[in-house]
Amino acid sequence: MRKKLIAANWKMYKTPDQTREFFREFLPAVSGHDRDEIVVCTPDIDLAAGIEAVKGTQVAVGAQNVHWKTEGAFTGETSTTMLLALGVTHVIIGHSERRQYFCETDDTVNMRLKAALEAGLTPICCVGEVLEEREAGSTDDVLRRQCVRAFHAISAKKAGNLVVAYEPVWAIGTGKTATPEIAAEAHMVIRREAAEIFGEDFAAKLRILYGGSVKPENASVLMAQEEIDGALVGGASLDAKSFAAIVKY
Ligand code: PGA
């Protein structure tokens, strides 16, 4: 049995004060909930406030990106060492918004992923097709290619706590959700590719999250799919009540 992971991706929203306010409302709403693993990925500027707030609870705090070097002259970047020093446990890697707006490539995704795994962080590595690719019938090829490149030169042993998020780009922030069947199909493609790369045992344990307009209203049908091992939630994770409702789908 794969324990589901319900992850919030706050993107570029909330200040440290708003972060504290969120957790004041969110933590009591999910107290004692241990069926699923819960992580809130905040902007870097909010990590310290988040970690302080969740101390002593089962809720984890994650980052949304990390550099592949442990230190150096890389203006504006954050390293795994820095995240670990704060108490960060998870990190999103290769989100489609980073690929689309910040020149993230399959190669940089691979470098970030290796660094995160090396540091013992739990990386949530995002893959997903854009609308034109889906309409052209190339979704499976795109997913396979993204996986092959992201996982390049990573052994099953090193990939230990890897998590993958399937996020069809056409479903992100659009209100359009992939049907549970579409999502499950894509997850199977990813799992088969993971089996090719890391072996069957690893693939059977690999958690694959779905992301793209997950809301309290659709969380339970999505999570009912055997192939779906959790959710990566953007917009609906900004409100404590709504994210708590998703956690407790
Ligand atoms: P959304 O974002 O839930 O707002 O669609 C998901 C994501 O980008 O991770």
Side-chain angles (χ1 to χ4, degrees):
M1 264 305 281
R2 300 181 293 257
K3 187 170 185 166
K4 288 196 196 318
L5 169 62
I6 313 293
N9 173 14
W10 280 2
K11 311 194 177 188
M12 199 174 71
Y13 289 98
K14 294 194 193 291
T15 62
D17 272 347
Q18 290 168 331
T19 301
R20 284 184 275 271
E21 201 178 299
F22 172 92
F23 282 111
R24 263 197 297 277
E25 195 180 345
F26 179 69
L27 291 172
V30 298
S31 100
H33 182 96
D34 56 11
R35 180 192 58 186
D36 314 283
E37 190 178 328
I38 309 168
V39 59
V40 178
C41 299
T42 76
D44 283 357
I45 201 83
D46 300 322
L47 289 171
I51 283 158
E52 181 64 30
V54 302
K55 255 193 201 130
T57 76
Q58 84 288 27
V59 177
V61 170
Q64 300 172 10
N65 188 26
V66 72
H67 197 263
W68 49 89
K69 295 275 195 187
T70 48
E71 61 179 10
F74 300 106
T75 303
E77 292 291 319
T78 302
S79 73
T80 53
T81 317
M82 295 164 183
L83 295 182
L84 290 173
L86 275 184
V88 169
T89 48
H90 297 63
V91 60
I92 298 171
I93 290 182
H95 190 277
S96 64
E97 284 150 17
R98 297 218 52 87
R99 294 177 190 255
Q100 193 179 350
Y101 306 126
F102 301 100
C103 307
E104 186 84 61
T105 64
D106 289 329
D107 286 340
T108 54
V109 168
N110 175 245
M111 291 194 281
R112 294 182 204 282
L113 190 55
K114 280 185 191 149
L117 288 167
E118 192 90 4
L121 290 162
T122 297
I124 303 173
C125 181
C126 301
V127 295
E129 80 286 3
V130 299
L131 186 60
E132 298 75 55
E133 292 165 334
R134 171 151 293 270
E135 285 175 343
S138 54
T139 298
D140 295 5
D141 289 342
V142 169
L143 295 177
R144 280 195 288 263
R145 189 203 68 219
Q146 288 177 338
C147 288
V148 166
R149 296 193 180 161
F151 307 154
H152 175 70
I154 299 173
S155 65
K157 200 161 148 245
K158 287 249 169 79
N161 41 8
L162 170 70
V163 175
V164 176
Y166 168 59
E167 296 211 309
V169 180
W170 47 269
I172 295 177
T174 56
K176 280 190 208 140
T177 323
T179 62
E181 293 74 25
I182 288 181
E185 230 170 82
H187 285 214
M188 276 186 299
V189 172
I190 294 166
R191 201 176 299 285
R192 269 200 301 273
E193 197 55 44
E196 289 279 320
I197 298 170
F198 299 120
E200 295 287 345
D201 288 354
F202 185 92
K205 288 186 203 128
L206 174 68
R207 290 185 293 180
I208 306 175
L209 318 183
Y210 168 76
S213 299
V214 176
K215 307 268 180 270
E217 302 78 52
N218 59 24
S220 62
V221 285
L222 286 163
M223 294 309 121
Q225 290 284 329
E226 204 187 307
E227 264 301 326
I228 301 183
D229 306 312
L232 182 55
V233 188
S237 74
L238 292 168
D239 176 74
K241 274 196 197 69
S242 135
F243 189 50
I246 292 171
V247 166
K248 298 197 275 188
Y249 60 86

